[in-house]
């Protein structure tokens, strides 16, 4: 019987991810940063040949999108998209129960009501079967999130949206460069909203972008990011300042260069990791929809089955796996009905009236699937794992087999 690493035994892999296939281009990031500095154009002022304008062109082309607009972050992108669609007081927007709080908070920030829907237990993205039942005469939009390691079922979501005359804003904060049935994630709905925050695949510390195919939307977005100025005759939307700096855009340009290579690597290696999970006992990969042409994930997730491990707690399993592979494994975000960072009803700005206060109270919602996954099943690690070459993926299987075979060392501790 082998001793588990979390009990002092020898780990399955030491320096498992040392040989990491992901490429980075700090040389280009520095070069573009210096170019931005020397140009003296440090902001994203309309009409200037800025680093931001350059990145917007490149990001739109990379995703085969008609338009791209950079903004401050992936929360403001959602808010600005909603306001472009004139969504506000009296409107409802459907969002998934498992996501970062921004997806729902942005809806409150335009004084609309987030209608929170449970997730598909096999992809962790919004369950399209539950969307229809959540639609009311006040529903204006759906915000599917391409969460962690899967894309939301865009075929069904777009079908529902077309039938019920709803807008779709794809929250792509977790996916940069994924492709659904030949179309880039973020170009299928009315908007694609991206975050370039520190933890993301492409990041500049902070930052965000909207992709859109409709020219009027584009001019409304650029008006909003620049204090409501009229950037095209007759098109303006009252707003604040949501502009990014050229220094962020310079870094994004360098990151995008690396991502051109990494996108295919992440997809290929992600599939190898899924296979490694499929080959291991008591665990299951997330379901990859056949429409997924390319999956560029923010995090790798699989599902643990406590019964198969004779009642072992998922926390114990994650700790044991982290020790075997020298890599931290964690759980998902807290579902929105329990989230420590989603409590919009407490904010005076949202106290429009008693009805609204109740309507945005997170405890209104029951999300049994999201809660079960979060508490009992999810095993998640950040995107660094996608650098693992396919011939090293078996270490993941080996580690799980070892924990499974030696589970009685841990059960009841
Ligand atoms: C799903 C999702 N949507 C939106 C956001 C907001 O992005 P940002 O942090 O850039 O505001 C995040 C950030 O992590 C996210 O994970």
């Amino acid at each position: 019987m082998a001793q588990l690493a979390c009990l002092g035994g020898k780990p399955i892999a030491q320096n498992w991810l040392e040989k990491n296939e992901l490429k980075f281009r700090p040389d280009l990031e520095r070069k573009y940063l210096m170019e931005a500095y020397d140009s003296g154009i440090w902001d994203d002022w309309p009409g200037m040949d800025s680093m931001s304008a350059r990145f917007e062109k490149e990001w739109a082309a990379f995703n085969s999108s008609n338009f791209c607009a950079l903004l401050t972050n992936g929360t403001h992108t959602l808010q600005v998209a909603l306001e472009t669609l004139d969504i506000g007081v009296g409107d409802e927007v459907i969002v998934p129960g498992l996501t970062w709080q921004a997806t729902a908070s942005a809806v409150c920030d335009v004084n609309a009501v987030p209608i929170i829907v449970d997730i598909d237990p096999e992809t962790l993205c919004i369950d399209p079967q539950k969307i229809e039942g959540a639609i009311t005469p006040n529903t204006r939009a759906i915000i599917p999130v391409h969460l962690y390691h899967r894309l939301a079922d865009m075929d069904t979501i777009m079908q529902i949206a077309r039938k019920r005359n709803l807008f779709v804003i794809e929250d792509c904060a977790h996916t940069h460069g994924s492709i659904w049935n030949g179309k880039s994630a973020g170009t299928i709905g009315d908007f694609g909203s991206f975050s370039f925050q520190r933890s993301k695949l492409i990041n500049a510390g902070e930052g965000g972008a909207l992709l859109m195919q409709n020219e009027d939307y584009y001019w409304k977005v650029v008006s909003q990011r620049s204090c409501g100025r009229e950037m095209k005759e007759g098109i303006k939307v009252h707003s604040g300042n949501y502009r990014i700096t050229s220094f962020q855009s310079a870094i994004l340009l360098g990151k995008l260069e690396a991502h051109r290579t990494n996108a295919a690597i992440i997809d290929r290696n992600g599939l190898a990791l899924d296979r490694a999970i499929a080959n291991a006992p008591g665990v299951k990969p997330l379901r990859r929809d056949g429409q997924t042409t390319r999956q560029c994930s923010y995090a790798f997730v699989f599902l643990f089955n406590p019964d198969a491990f004779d009642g072992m707690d998922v926390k114990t399993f994650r700790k044991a796996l982290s020790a075997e592979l020298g890599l931290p494994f964690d759980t998902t975000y807290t579902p929105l009905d329990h989230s420590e960072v989603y409590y919009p009803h407490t904010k005076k700005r949202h106290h429009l009236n008693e009805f609204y206060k109740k309507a945005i109270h997170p405890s209104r919602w029951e999300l049994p699937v999201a809660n079960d996954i979060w508490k009992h099943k999810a095993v998640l690690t950040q995107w660094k794992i996608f650098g693992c070459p396919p011939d090293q993926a078996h270490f993941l299987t080996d580690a799980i087999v070892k924990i499974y075979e030696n589970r009685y060392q841990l059960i009841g501790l």
Side-chain angles (χ1 to χ4, degrees):
M1 204 166 68
Q3 190 167 34
L4 293 168
C6 62
L7 299 175
K10 190 167 171 285
I12 282 283
Q14 272 154 340
N15 311 319
W16 179 37
L17 296 182
E18 202 164 54
K19 193 176 148 213
N20 194 299
E21 293 191 325
L22 296 180
K23 306 281 179 278
F24 299 97
R25 294 299 308 267
D27 56 325
L28 281 181
E29 291 167 24
R30 278 197 200 97
K31 174 175 167 294
Y32 294 139
L33 267 173
M34 287 317 296
E35 270 179 41
Y37 180 83
D38 291 339
S39 74
I41 303 172
W42 295 355
D43 55 1
D44 184 17
W45 204 248
M48 289 202 297
D49 181 24
S50 63
M51 277 293 165
S52 300
R54 243 167 101 179
F55 179 78
E56 284 172 344
K57 224 184 269 166
E58 300 272 340
W59 187 238
F62 181 77
N63 290 290
S64 307
S65 174
N66 291 346
F67 299 97
C68 170
L70 276 165
L71 277 86
T72 28
N73 58 55
T75 305
H76 289 153
T77 45
L78 292 168
Q79 185 187 325
V80 165
L82 288 163
E83 293 196 305
T84 296
L85 298 170
D86 202 29
I87 291 173
V89 175
D91 297 331
E92 293 176 352
V93 177
I94 294 174
V95 304
L98 189 66
T99 179
W100 179 240
Q101 57 93 273
T103 316
S105 290
V107 177
C108 297
D109 285 340
V110 302
N111 296 344
V113 176
I115 302 297
I116 302 178
V117 165
D118 213 344
I119 55 163
D120 178 330
E122 297 192 333
T123 64
L124 312 197
C125 297
I126 193 165
D127 184 343
Q129 304 311 324
K130 299 201 175 109
I131 292 178
E132 291 254 24
I135 296 174
T136 75
N138 297 328
T139 310
R140 300 283 315 285
I142 310 167
I143 310 184
V145 180
H146 300 302
L147 193 79
Y148 298 129
H149 189 38
R150 288 297 176 248
L151 299 180
D153 175 356
M154 288 310 292
D155 289 0
T156 311
I157 291 167
M158 292 308 291
Q159 257 169 26
I160 297 170
R162 283 194 196 104
K163 189 168 89 184
R164 308 296 293 259
N165 204 18
L166 303 175
F167 296 112
V168 174
I169 301 168
E170 294 173 70
D171 187 339
C172 303
H174 285 196
T175 204
H176 298 75
S178 287
I179 303 177
W180 174 269
N181 193 20
K183 283 190 96 175
S184 290
T187 65
I188 304 161
D190 297 278
F191 285 99
S193 166
F194 293 83
S195 164
F196 301 122
Q197 177 266 348
R198 174 172 61 89
S199 64
K200 305 302 186 314
L201 274 175
I202 297 184
N203 91 88
E206 296 286 353
L210 280 173
L211 294 182
M212 65 231 107
Q213 312 315 313
N214 176 310
E215 186 170 357
D216 273 7
Y217 291 172
Y218 172 75
W219 290 111
K220 282 187 179 172
V221 167
V222 294
S223 168
Q224 283 178 84
R225 93 174 153 198
S226 212
C227 313
R229 283 189 176 83
E230 192 173 276
M231 302 302 204
K232 186 173 183 197
E233 211 181 316
I235 303 187
K236 62 178 188 174
V237 183
H238 177 83
S239 189
N241 172 358
Y242 300 105
R243 290 188 301 265
I244 197 168
T245 69
S246 299
F247 304 119
Q248 290 162 279
S249 304
I251 293 175
L252 290 176
L253 269 173
K255 296 276 185 211
L256 176 55
E257 246 357 276
H259 198 62
R260 291 181 201 285
T261 312
N262 288 340
I265 295 173
I266 292 168
D267 185 44
R268 184 197 63 195
N269 294 358
L271 281 166
L273 291 164
D274 288 337
R275 283 193 297 274
I277 293 299
N279 290 335
V283 290
K284 199 166 83 166
L286 297 182
R287 187 185 79 241
R288 177 168 160 139
D289 196 293
Q291 296 285 63
T292 306
T293 316
R294 183 167 78 189
Q295 176 76 50
C296 292
S297 310
Y298 163 69
F300 177 65
V301 185
F302 63 92
L303 301 173
F304 171 76
N305 176 357
D307 293 336
F309 277 74
D310 293 327
M312 184 194 284
D313 178 65
V314 67
K315 282 188 194 160
T316 308
F317 173 80
R318 287 194 296 252
K319 211 168 135 197
L321 189 62
S322 300
E324 295 299 341
L325 295 172
L327 191 71
F329 287 88
D330 209 330
T331 187
T332 61
Y333 297 131
T334 314
L336 290 179
D337 58 337
H338 286 103
S339 170
E340 59 289 1
V341 281
Y342 183 66
Y343 43 98
H345 56 292
T346 63
K347 197 169 182 179
K348 191 166 178 192
R349 166 182 170 175
H350 295 149
H351 291 182
L352 301 180
N353 52 48
E354 279 312 306
F355 171 80
Y356 188 75
K357 240 169 100 176
K358 267 198 202 139
I360 61 172
H361 205 297
S363 68
R364 234 187 113 182
W365 309 107
E366 284 190 14
L367 306 166
V369 178
N371 279 280
D372 182 46
I373 298 278
W374 164 60
K375 274 194 208 143
H376 304 299
K377 296 190 175 143
V379 185
L380 176 153
T381 191
Q382 296 297 319
W383 54 263
K384 187 181 169 199
I385 195 172
F386 296 116
C388 171
D391 66 358
Q392 309 272 304
H394 69 88
F395 284 114
L396 184 56
T397 317
D398 299 347
I400 297 169
V401 168
K402 182 178 169 192
I403 299 166
Y404 180 79
E405 285 177 351
N406 296 283
R407 59 195 179 281
Y408 292 108
Q409 291 179 25
L410 294 173
I411 296 168
L413 274 188

